[in-house]
Structures are given as structure tokens and as C-alpha cells.
Amino acid sequence: MAAIPESELIINKNGTVYHLNLLPEHISDTIITVGDPERVPMVSKYFDEIEVEVTKREFITHTGYYKGKRLTVISTGMGTDNIDILMNELDALVNIDFRTREPNEERISLKIVRVGTSGSLQESIPLGSHLASHYGVGLDSLMEFYPLEQTEDEVSITRALKEELGVGFTPYCVNGSKELIDKIAFDMVPGNTLTCPGFYAPQGRVLRAGLRNQNLLQSYQNFRVCDFQLTNFEMETAGYYAMGRLLGHEMLSLNAIVANRITQEFAPNAEEVIDSLILKTLERI
Ligand code: R1P
Ligand code: URA
């Protein structure tokens, strides 16, 4: 294969990848990702030792050891546009030779676990739950640009959701890693996570700007295809799952339920709910 041009894979003068500011040796093959940059030290404070600390934009990276296992934690900021950058650059760090700019013959598959916050779409999933995304359903436009392959079942879910919402685009639907679910999330609430391109109107929230579709939240809550229902929403999961499928990485999204949109409550102990999810993840990853 021809070398990837300098404008496509941008390598900084110090040899680091453009946005993440990382060298290949800076990361483990087992990675925890968080949205909030301030959540990175909430994870790495449990490490025995931190060996790498790198910051650029919203991407803060700490690599170290938890009970002897080498782990990386990275913040992404919010939204699937950042996940596009994160996943391509992490993949480049392990699967492209920065010297020749050619993909390596041998492919490395990363294990990537998102530990994020989320809002519940069902009354039966209360505040404080830890929910594992068995599927991610994306309402964002990222997959308009990639040749994502979906199963028949996934496509039928996306078609039904397009019709239910009356939108002019087709959502996408991708599953998470069954192996990671069995290993890390065996006792968590199983769910199907809706990834929204925003926190307010796309999640049915009205402050002053209004909503085009007054029934949006009810449509999300009541959507069914056979026994498939949407359980919660946030802003990254489907992007992770789709990029993981495209690039061959094992993905799992874990959600600390801090809001319930049906009962209209917000968790007073949100930090504790996240902290206990972090600890479970560190112990099991
Ligand atoms: C919105 O408040 C943010 O919280 C959720 C959403 O996906 C979005 O990024 O995740 P994090 O808590 O990981 O940021
Ligand atoms: N993150 C979201 O995106 N939505 C919520 O309701 C809570 C956290």
C-alpha cells in the first residue's frame, strides 16, 4: 500500500499524532474513555503509578498501572465528531507505522471501554443504575461518511426509527462487544443507547429555543421493534461502536444513569454513581 500523505495522517514535529498528541508507546491496548476531562484524574487516582500524562485540547491522557495491569484513560469531550478523531488516531497509533506511513501487516485490536453519564428513557431504569449498551443507535451524521455494514436486524431498527421520528436522515445501529459485556457488565442493566447530536432539543429538552417535534421524548420512550427498545441516551456510544466495527476494535459503553427524563429527576449523588462505575470497570477490565 502507498504511504499515507502528510495531509491525511498528520504527525506533529515531535512524532506525536495530530490531536491526541501521543506517541505509540504512550498508550496501552486497554483503554478507558471518559467525556469530561476532569474525570481522567478521577480514574487515574486509583492507579498504582502514572507513567504518562499528556494534554491537548479536550484530550487528556494518563497511562499507568492498576493492580499491575497497564491501562490508559483518555478524555474525549462531547459528541461523535470527537469520537471520529479519537478512534482514527488511536487506531493509527497501533496500526500504522509512523516512519513509513503505511498500515502494519499485523493488526492490533484495542479494548476500549467508555465510562460516561447518561439519561434514562424508561421509568424502570432508575437514577444510580449502571447500564451497559448492548446496542448504540446513532442520530448523528458521522456514518453518512463511512462504509459501515449493518446486519438486517440493525437496518430494520434504523428504518423503523426514521419512520417513527419522521426525520430526513437514516439513523445507524451497531452492537457492542459481547466478550466485554460478559467480562465487565454481567451484572449491569442491559440497554440500547440512543446517541444524540446534542444535549437539548435532540434529547427533547426545552429551555427557551423550543422543539420541532413536541412528542420526541415519548417517541424515544415508546419506540419498539420486536423486543428492542431504547433505554437511555447520551452523545457518543453509537459513534464508538460504529468506528470500532470499521476499524476492528472491541468496544463497550458503560453508562452511569444520572438523569431520568420520564420521572424528571437528576441524581443528587451523580459523582458517587460515576465513581462506583469507574471502580467496577477498573476491577474487571
Ligand atoms: C453531556 O452532558 C455529556 O455527558 C455524557 C454525554 O454523552 C455527553 O458527553 O457523557 P460523558 O459524561 O462521558 O461526557
Ligand atoms: N448525558 C446526556 O447526554 N444526557 C443526559 O440526560 C445525561 C447525561
Side-chain angles (χ1 to χ4, degrees), residues 149-251:
E149 290 185 13
Q150 296 169 95
T151 65
E152 269 178 40
D153 286 351
E154 290 168 349
V155 169
S156 57
I157 289 164
T158 68
R159 289 207 181 118
L161 186 59
K162 177 184 165 95
E163 199 174 303
E164 169 69 36
L165 302 179
V167 288
F169 58 88
T170 307
Y172 61 98
C173 177
V174 184
N175 67 306
S177 158
K178 292 186 180 53
E179 289 73 23
L180 287 179
I181 289 171
D182 288 348
K183 188 173 177 209
I184 299 174
F186 49 85
D187 57 355
M188 298 186 193
V189 177
N192 300 312
T193 300
L194 186 68
T195 294
C196 297
F199 186 80
Y200 289 97
Q203 296 187 18
R205 287 188 170 90
V206 182
L207 300 186
R208 289 200 334 103
L211 265 186
R212 269 203 203 187
N213 175 353
Q214 302 304 319
N215 298 319
L216 189 66
L217 202 54
Q218 289 85 348
S219 292
Y220 293 159
Q221 182 191 3
N222 298 328
F223 178 71
R224 296 283 182 286
V225 176
C226 303
D227 60 355
F228 183 100
Q229 67 169 357
L230 297 169
T231 51
N232 64 304
F233 46 25
E234 46 72 84
M235 295 170 59
E236 293 86 22
T237 296
Y240 275 117
Y241 284 8
M243 293 304 299
R245 182 176 288 180
L246 285 157
L247 294 166
H249 301 296
E250 262 189 274
M251 313 299 299

Side-chain angles (χ1 to χ4, degrees), residues 24-39:
E25 58 264 36
H26 283 157
I27 58 166
S28 165
D29 60 5
T30 306
I31 298 172
I32 294 173
T33 61
V34 297
D36 183 354
E38 290 185 4
R39 204 175 298 144

Side-chain angles (χ1 to χ4, degrees), residues 3-21:
I4 300 170
E6 286 182 15
S7 58
E8 319 296 297
L9 170 61
I10 304 171
I11 299 174
N12 300 317
K13 285 203 171 67
N14 62 3
T16 58
V17 70
Y18 191 45
H19 298 95
L20 301 186
N21 206 23

